[in-house]
Amino acid sequence: MLALAAAEIPAQITGASRLLLNGTGQNAAFTGIGRFRGGLTCTAFLLDTGGEAAYAMTAGHCISTASSNEVIRDQASSARITFAFFRDTTNRALTVAARRTVYSTMKARDVAIVELDTTLPALRAQGVTPLALAATDPVAGAEVRVVGAPTSGIPTEEQFLRQTRCVLRDPVDLLEFQWHFRHAYPNTCSDIRTGSSGSPVLDAGGRVVALINTTTAEATHSGGDFPCYLGQPCELTGDGYAYRQSTNYALPVAAIRGCFADGRFALGGECSLDDGRQMRTTGPNRYLRPGAAWNVALSSESLTHYRYKTFRQGQGDCRTAEGYGAVRELAAAPRIPDALPQEPGLYVMCVLAGSTAMPDETWQQPEFATLLHTRVDTSKPTLRAPYVFRDDGEFYFFEPIFVVPELSGYRYKIAMTAADGCDSNEGYRNYLRIPIRIDKRSDPYRLCFYGTDMVDNASDPVEIRLGGLQLRPEGVLNAASLQPGGLGAGLWATVLGVNLDGAQLLFVDTLGAAYAVAPAFVSSSQINFRIPEGAAAGTGRLRVTGPGGQVETTMSITMPPQAIFTATGSGFGPPVGFAGGQALAECGSPGFCGPAALQRPWADLVIYTNGARVGMTVTLGGELLELRGVRRLENGIAEVTLRLPEEFPLRGVLPLVVRSAGGESNTVYVRLAEELGAGRPLPQPR
């Protein structure tokens, strides 16, 4: 089995990090941590090497992501680091230029070391405190703290140093996109996001035990082709991989301590870093069909021979000498054309190279083998294809939305007759990322389209009928979450389509009771209506009749979870509601809204849900809120009042969720502003 369920790990606590202040020198120990601006915007920290030269450390991908096996040595750098990066003392921040990248890689590790255009004593004299590397790797179960400067999901005025704490789990190997990382420690420290890469992970003594590498906290999808893709690292196992949501990973750094034996960086001796002795490789593609070729090209100016081995993930190890094949001469065989197996799964290729016809001590050692991954994929995309479709008068407008890698391409056709069905392959063409305009005067009958993944596995086709009154294939949606299903008696629902002007509704429930339903809102593309209070649970039928014709669709009446109305009208973003006299959303234009910053003292939060359920609970950032009251309005919408205690521990943009017997609502977001000088303690790690 390729994908395995991950062991249970506590969820990451959004908003549990603390903005660090240093107005009175209370966080002077962290002045050596700052904002890194190089290939990417990250976090970096000054190293305590005991020497004259000044070095900073960050993640390797903050320098370059060009290759999964690249090792950069002694390269000029234009990066800059801003130390003493505190919100309340911006006038004391110190920006220093980098002189060169002495070492950087994403091969097994994810680390970069840059030499700064100043000296360590000079920085100390300016109040910048370096951090020491721990002598040993951390132990699983150890409590740590992370200090860094995340950006995504953090309001601009609060994008400074923050700290959070958590407990490290047992180390694992990771695969993310084309990169394989070894001995990464999973954790659920809060608010590890874009910008956190390179943040130091500190033990109780303030020594650096690890470096923040990657996270799944910002992933928006799971399943299908998403695990192991960019921004969605997966844990490699004996049978394939395991994927953990809302989990960060940190790579140990103790081995790098030996690279500064005399205060200057140097490979060899006690420094166990990879020296980069290897051939360049091109390929394979990250996703391939069964039986496709590895098609790996090799090149080198100094190495003349190589050997390799391949295996299914979990059934071999590049670091062991067993299984490597016969030595090949690069000039005679510059490409590896071997065919992949037919069985779906992750596959690994390991390459060793040298400049002699027989392997000896000068060859690339198995510990530092060049490592390549690919995935044999036969599964069709299962993600429901998102798209934009509307009636523009004389034309229909259609634009499918790409969601890489699961929906990396689209094909479509405009069928002119009823006999030309979507299941027929005839007539499909590639969608070239230019929105389609369908001329109504040509009297088109239907639009068909389907998505394809990276190796052209096709999803089920979607049909949109054209001409006359038609409903979109999603069926009836919950009016608050705008998701299929979630329909219950007395709740509000939405149907989308074309030529809906003047439409009337008739709902027949599962027992045959008929209800004439008066729409609350009707346009050419949307109808909002309230499901009859007396509708029986089960599958009923909704008939839509208008000047453009008549269509019918099914509706499943259940005991659904409460859905929260949002200011964007999309089911996502900030909720419709207020705190005191302040709206919970700030909207620049309709549909473009963000959470408004709420200040202490907190007022009660008021939100609106599509109906109410007995036994409902509400959490903000995972913390349970007190339910002050639920008032059902005349239109059936529930006004929910929540108490936010003054001692509430979290800050930032926090997820709010309603749970009831029917399940979990859509997730909306509320922002609680940080306050300077709050001095709030960190929540207990978990």
Side-chain angles (χ1 to χ4, degrees):
M1 182 176 178
L2 177 63
L4 302 178
E8 190 65 27
I9 243 184
Q12 188 175 139
I13 314 172
T14 301
S17 64
R18 293 290 176 266
L19 192 64
L20 289 175
L21 308 177
N22 199 42
T24 60
Q26 66 269 43
N27 284 305
F30 303 136
T31 51
I33 306 171
R35 166 74 72 234
F36 178 87
R37 291 183 173 86
L40 297 173
T41 297
C42 299
T43 300
F45 59 94
L46 183 65
L47 285 167
D48 188 356
T49 63
E52 185 78 10
Y55 297 96
M57 181 180 289
T58 188
H61 69 263
C62 301
I63 298 290
S64 172
T65 59
S67 166
S68 58
N69 289 283
E70 182 181 32
V71 175
I72 295 172
R73 294 173 56 181
D74 199 20
Q75 184 181 93
S77 174
S78 59
R80 304 177 73 82
I81 305 173
T82 301
F83 294 114
F85 197 61
F86 301 101
R87 177 185 174 183
D88 63 331
T89 58
T90 54
N91 59 321
R92 301 181 211 166
L94 176 65
T95 298
V96 178
R99 178 179 298 161
R100 63 190 180 115
T101 299
V102 296
Y103 189 89
S104 179
T105 191
M106 293 183 70
K107 180 182 177 182
R109 301 177 182 272
D110 182 17
V111 65
I113 301 163
V114 296
E115 184 178 359
L116 304 180
D117 196 19
T118 184
T119 65
L120 186 56
L123 288 173
R124 286 184 186 272
Q126 295 175 84
V128 180
T129 304
L131 299 179
L133 300 181
T136 59
D137 289 346
V139 177
E143 180 181 327
V144 295
R145 69 177 60 207
V146 177
V147 179
T151 55
S152 67
I154 306 294
T156 303
E157 65 272 19
E158 296 175 9
Q159 291 177 9
F160 292 88
L161 286 184
R162 314 177 74 86
Q163 70 168 324
T164 178
R165 64 183 184 182
C166 56
V167 172
L168 298 180
R169 310 290 169 176
D170 290 320
V172 297
D173 274 16
L174 291 181
L175 177 63
E176 179 180 359
F177 202 53
Q178 60 183 335
W179 303 289
H180 183 131
F181 303 117
R182 298 196 186 280
H183 214 65
Y185 288 82
N187 64 84
T188 54
C189 274
S190 176
D191 303 323
I192 303 299
R193 303 294 170 89
T194 299
S196 295
S197 296
S199 297
V201 180
L202 306 170
D203 65 12
R207 295 173 292 271
V208 182
V209 296
L211 197 67
I212 289 296
N213 159 235
T214 187
T215 182
T216 61
E218 295 180 292
T220 55
H221 298 87
S222 61
D225 291 341
F226 291 106
C228 310
Y229 193 66
L230 189 63
Q232 303 200 201
C234 61
E235 300 178 10
L236 297 175
T237 69
D239 291 336
Y241 64 84
Y243 180 72
R244 300 185 195 270
Q245 295 180 322
S246 300
T247 300
N248 319 308
Y249 297 93
L251 297 172
V253 295
I256 302 174
R257 181 178 169 132
C259 303
F260 297 94
D262 61 354
R264 293 199 66 86
F265 178 83
L267 292 173
E270 296 181 26
C271 182
S272 60
L273 292 176
D274 188 338
D275 64 8
R277 189 185 326 166
Q278 61 188 342
M279 290 184 177
R280 290 185 298 274
T281 57
T282 303
N285 291 336
R286 289 183 297 277
Y287 299 86
L288 290 169
R289 300 287 294 174
W294 275 95
N295 199 27
V296 173
L298 302 101
S299 62
S300 176
E301 287 77 37
S302 58
L303 303 177
T304 57
H305 293 77
Y306 69 92
R307 56 201 297 234
Y308 69 96
K309 63 180 176 181
T310 63
F311 52 86
R312 184 181 173 90
Q313 167 58 37
Q315 298 179 5
D317 191 333
C318 292
R319 293 167 292 185
T320 62
E322 292 79 17
Y324 281 95
V327 174
R328 296 186 175 194
E329 186 179 5
L330 177 62
R335 186 177 298 274
I336 302 175
D338 298 14
L340 281 153
Q342 295 292 320
E343 184 180 2
L346 293 176
Y347 291 90
V348 182
M349 175 180 286
C350 321
V351 182
L352 301 177
S355 55
T356 60
M358 292 296 293
D360 58 19
E361 68 279 359
T362 67
W363 268 57
Q364 179 182 3
Q365 296 303 300
E367 179 185 0
F368 302 125
T370 300
L371 192 153
L372 305 167
H373 276 274
T374 191
R375 176 177 174 179
V376 174
D377 183 13
T378 60
S379 58
K380 69 179 183 180
T382 57
L383 182 68
R384 184 166 64 95
Y387 63 93
V388 176
F389 182 84
R390 65 174 182 263
D391 186 340
D392 280 351
E394 295 182 356
F395 297 88
Y396 295 117
F397 175 95
F398 169 67
E399 181 181 15
I401 308 300
F402 291 82
V403 189
V404 178
E406 185 81 343
L407 296 170
S408 300
Y410 283 97
R411 294 192 180 96
Y412 75 97
K413 71 175 177 179
I414 302 166
M416 306 306 292
T417 66
D420 187 3
C422 292
D423 290 332
S424 169
N425 290 326
E426 186 176 350
Y428 277 98
R429 64 184 70 180
N430 290 328
Y431 176 73
L432 302 178
R433 295 181 179 263
I434 301 173
I436 306 299
R437 299 179 73 206
I438 305 170
D439 192 338
K440 292 182 180 179
R441 292 172 297 181
S442 64
D443 197 23
Y445 187 81
R446 62 166 60 94
L447 167 68
C448 305
F449 71 96
Y450 61 86
T452 58
D453 64 13
M454 301 288 275
V455 290
D456 220 27
N457 293 313
S459 69
D460 292 331
V462 177
E463 176 185 3
I464 300 177
R465 288 285 303 277
L466 306 172
L469 187 154
Q470 302 293 341
L471 302 184
R472 284 177 47 157
E474 296 94 318
V476 185
L477 310 176
N478 184 297
S481 67
L482 283 190
Q483 295 299 305
L487 306 174
L491 302 188
W492 285 87
T494 294
V495 288
L496 305 176
V498 293
N499 298 317
L500 301 180
D501 300 272
Q504 297 297 315
L505 306 179
L506 178 70
F507 176 66
V508 180
D509 70 15
T510 190
L511 300 179
Y515 301 87
V517 180
F521 171 82
V522 179
S523 71
S524 64
S525 60
Q526 180 173 340
I527 302 174
N528 294 341
F529 66 97
R530 188 179 176 194
I531 300 169
E533 290 272 11
T539 301
R541 305 187 313 279
L542 179 70
R543 184 180 302 160
V544 183
T545 305
Q550 178 177 289
V551 293
E552 194 171 283
T553 188
T554 59
M555 282 176 54
S556 182
I557 305 300
T558 63
M559 179 69 74
Q562 286 171 255
I564 305 170
F565 287 97
T566 61
T568 61
S570 66
F572 303 97
V576 172
F578 54 88
Q582 181 180 1
L584 299 180
E586 291 180 334
C587 299
S589 59
F592 294 91
C593 302
L598 305 183
Q599 307 283 345
R600 291 181 68 188
W602 313 123
D604 285 349
L605 301 180
V606 177
I607 62 172
Y608 295 89
T609 64
N610 199 353
R613 291 282 178 264
V614 175
M616 65 180 288
T617 60
V618 183
T619 58
L620 183 62
E623 297 286 324
L624 190 65
L625 298 182
E626 178 186 339
L627 186 62
R628 297 290 295 270
V630 178
R631 184 167 69 98
R632 184 164 178 169
L633 306 181
E634 289 184 3
N635 59 9
I637 293 174
E639 181 183 81
V640 180
T641 303
L642 307 162
R643 178 178 177 271
L644 189 62
E646 283 301 302
E647 65 277 11
F648 191 76
L650 308 181
R651 295 294 186 274
V653 179
L654 306 174
L656 186 146
V657 177
V658 177
R659 294 177 177 85
S660 62
E664 187 174 293
S665 74
N666 53 319
T667 301
V668 299
Y669 292 89
V670 172
R671 177 184 169 192
L672 303 184
E674 283 272 11
E675 57 264 38
L676 292 178
R680 295 174 292 113
L682 282 167
Q684 287 299 310
R686 62 182 188 179

